[in-house]
Amino acid sequence: MYFCDKYRIVEKKAIASDIYSYIIKCPEVAGIVQSGQFVNISASGHTLRRPISVCDFDRENGLIRIVFEIRGEGTREISRLREGDYIDMIAPLGRGFSFLDDAKHVALIGGGIGVPPLLSIAKHYGEKAQAVLGFKSFDKVILANDFAEYGADVTICTDDGSSGFKGNVLPCFENVLNNEKLDIIYVCGPLPMIRAISEIAEQKAIPCQVSLEERMGCGVGACIACVCKVKRRDKEMFVRVCKDGPVFNSKEVIF
Ligand SMILES: Cc1cc2nc3c(=O)[nH]c(=O)nc-3n(C[C@H](O)[C@H](O)[C@H](O)COP(=O)(O)OP(=O)(O)OC[C@H]3O[C@@H](n4cnc5c(N)ncnc54)[C@H](O)[C@@H]3O)c2cc1C
Ligand code: FES
């Protein structure tokens, strides 16, 4: 079930270079949204909507939060909306992450603008979560304090070493692996990062859920623009990232 409507932006913040956080009042969406689902936003002057993950939600107050980076004309147009303006969106969409009831240690591995959908997982697991978050440089670092406020142990890495550890998330993730017996891993970010973490998860037999990005048309499963290849019951098949994902079990994705 999803809604298509215009909702009021109650808070707009620039949180890093070209990266914005919007809190949106949308009680019916906030009431049913799950971690890892996304919203499809209309950008003025553009036919296709832009998919953006739900970063956090507050059911009691009817709020959702999105965090997005300006990547092109569509996201630039969306970034021109101001506090008090109405944002036109279809939400909530897709299949989100699932949680392990008895997990003691979980890892959240995020890269760049793949970090936002992991925040509500950190909220769910609190101190059981180890977050390893990678960015290009210090001016792109986002949400580190938000993860820490939810109780997660946070490690930051940057490609150029301008904040946290120098390099990508893999060495820091391996450090987590050596110190904790992980019950589950959640990953979102660039494809090479997702692939590398999925391979390690497979070798160590740790369940791993990945959130994939594909270019989308309709966002609701009708146009087949967003397919990716998976293996289910020994058969290779194409599934729709917008409707069957964006979250998948890493074992079934054919990278
Ligand atoms: C499920 C999902 C969740 C996402 N969550 C976030 C998020 O939380 N924060 C965030 O900043 N970005 C997120 N993205 C990426 C975001 O959708 C793109 O950055 C955005 O669509 C770019 O639009 P544009 O017009 O600015 O760029 P342009 O490059 O001008 O876009 C041209 C077309 O390509 C599509 N497109 C371009 N890049 C992507 C991409 N990476 N993924 C999908 N479609 C793309 C656009 O939607 C548009 O139709 C997500 C993408 C998906 C699929
Ligand atoms: S975007 Fe249309 S089927 Fe996924």
Side-chain angles (χ1 to χ4, degrees):
M1 180 188 188
Y2 55 80
F3 301 91
C4 177
D5 212 336
K6 293 185 174 134
Y7 299 98
R8 197 160 55 87
I9 299 168
V10 296
E11 184 193 280
K12 172 183 181 177
K13 276 189 184 161
I15 59 168
S17 167
D18 277 343
I19 304 182
Y20 291 89
S21 163
Y22 287 0
I23 295 179
I24 301 162
K25 181 88 177 172
C26 49
E28 64 263 41
V29 177
I32 58 170
V33 68
Q34 301 295 325
S35 294
Q37 287 189 299
F38 68 95
V39 304
N40 216 4
I41 301 174
S42 170
S44 176
H46 299 265
T47 313
L48 290 180
R49 289 171 178 266
R50 274 31 181 187
I52 301 292
S53 302
V54 174
C55 166
D56 203 356
F57 50 89
D58 171 354
R59 297 202 201 286
E60 211 176 306
N61 294 301
L63 304 171
I64 67 161
R65 181 182 186 190
I66 58 169
V67 167
F68 67 95
E69 181 170 27
I70 298 178
R71 283 283 173 87
E73 278 314 305
T75 41
R76 184 171 304 284
E77 198 52 52
I78 295 167
S79 77
R80 292 194 175 114
L81 293 168
R82 291 163 302 181
E83 225 165 76
D85 283 351
Y86 282 75
I87 188 164
D88 181 333
M89 59 184 200
I90 303 179
L93 296 174
R95 290 162 64 99
F97 296 105
S98 52
F99 297 129
L100 278 189
D101 289 340
D102 50 358
K104 292 194 176 62
H105 298 290
V106 311
L108 314 178
I109 316 298
I113 209 62
V115 166
L118 303 178
L119 182 62
S120 61
I121 311 181
K123 176 153 86 177
H124 178 86
Y125 286 113
E127 289 177 3
K128 296 171 183 166
Q130 299 257 353
V132 179
L133 312 177
F135 304 94
K136 272 197 187 120
S137 51
F138 80 98
D139 58 327
K140 293 288 182 188
V141 174
I142 50 167
L143 302 172
N145 292 340
D146 302 71
F147 278 79
E149 272 169 28
Y150 283 145
D153 185 71
V154 183
T155 304
I156 299 294
C157 322
T158 48
D159 294 345
D160 63 0
S162 53
S163 182
F165 289 89
K166 185 172 193 292
N168 68 31
V169 296
L170 284 181
C172 294
F173 169 60
E174 275 165 7
N175 217 14
V176 172
L177 267 179
N178 293 335
N179 291 326
E180 306 283 6
K181 188 183 166 305
L182 292 174
D183 297 302
I184 187 162
I185 304 167
Y186 298 91
V187 195
C188 187
L191 203 56
M193 185 195 97
I194 294 183
R195 192 189 299 125
I197 304 280
S198 300
E199 280 169 14
I200 298 171
E202 175 125 30
Q203 285 159 17
K204 305 264 178 191
I206 304 169
C208 178
Q209 295 180 19
V210 300
S211 180
L212 301 182
E213 266 186 28
E214 260 314 324
R215 292 195 170 226
M216 291 186 179
C218 67
V220 295
C223 72
I224 324 286
C226 64
V227 290
C228 77
K229 214 176 193 185
V230 298
K231 196 169 191 178
R232 285 182 179 160
R233 279 172 253 103
D234 277 337
K235 268 197 187 152
E236 289 190 4
M237 60 179 85
F238 286 99
V239 292
R240 299 156 298 181
V241 170
C242 70
K243 179 99 174 168
D244 306 304
V247 175
F248 294 93
N249 177 340
S250 65
K251 272 193 190 164
E252 66 179 6
V253 179
I254 301 175
F255 290 104

